[in-house]
Amino acid sequence: MAQARRQSRLARIWRHLWLDDADLRRAIPQALVERLAQRVAASERRHTGEVRIYVEPALPLSYLWRDASPRERAVTIFGKLRVWDTEQNNGVLIYLLLAEHAIEIVADRGLAAKVPHDTWQAIVDRMGSAFRERRFEDGLTQALAEVSALLVQHFPAAADSANPNELPDAPVLG
């Protein structure tokens, strides 16, 4: 059993070492980054939340050595990008880890308290279906639309009040 676990861990490390920035750029080319930034900006005009997208080809070695999960990395990125630091605690991170085909959505406590886990999981499942067919733009666009709808439902932008852009709109490629 210990040998199988060790082999599984080595296979995971190898998978992460194999992918690099070129793989990331093939999956998410610069033109897509620009289109996603525009879609995030358009979305944020309709609600008071903030949406960040973070895509990375592989986990850093420090995460692999301690066998950290993609969720742990997503929560760390959520903090590093300061998604938690919004006025109404309604920021959302859409995180993709290409090496493991992992998708995580991390919502700040203001929105997380209003949206059941099953709703987030359904969004992740639909993204996963699109990504398995290598339709990254479709999956990300649909997820962004669904997250935006939740934010509009729970945190709509008021026409007569300021709606500052608290965080950058452009996706981050790690």
Side-chain angles (χ1 to χ4, degrees), residues 72-85 93 106:
E72 184 178 336
R73 176 67 173 168
V75 169
T76 299
I77 295 299
F78 182 87
K80 284 184 175 185
L81 296 179
R82 302 183 61 88
V83 181
W84 56 268
D85 195 21
L93 173 67
V106 182

Side-chain angles (χ1 to χ4, degrees), residues 130-145:
F131 293 166
R132 279 188 291 284
E133 297 171 7
R134 309 232 9 111
R135 297 182 300 111
F136 294 104
E137 183 165 5
D138 293 345
L140 283 165
T141 299
Q142 169 139 5
L144 178 57

Side-chain angles (χ1 to χ4, degrees), residues 97-116:
L97 175 61
L98 299 180
E100 294 189 17
H101 306 282
I103 304 164
E104 297 288 341
I105 297 178
V106 182
D108 203 352
R109 61 192 174 275
L111 183 60
K114 299 174 186 283
V115 178

Side-chain angles (χ1 to χ4, degrees), residues 28 36 52-55 92-97 101-106 119-147:
I28 311 292
L36 289 169
R52 298 299 317 263
I53 298 171
Y54 189 95
V55 184
V92 178
L93 173 67
I94 299 172
Y95 172 82
L96 308 177
L97 175 61
H101 306 282
I103 304 164
E104 297 288 341
I105 297 178
V106 182
T119 300
W120 297 117
Q121 189 58 52
I123 295 169
V124 166
D125 291 345
R126 284 187 286 279
M127 286 175 66
S129 292
F131 293 166
R132 279 188 291 284
E133 297 171 7
R134 309 232 9 111
R135 297 182 300 111
F136 294 104
E137 183 165 5
D138 293 345
L140 283 165
T141 299
Q142 169 139 5
L144 178 57
E146 292 181 51
V147 168

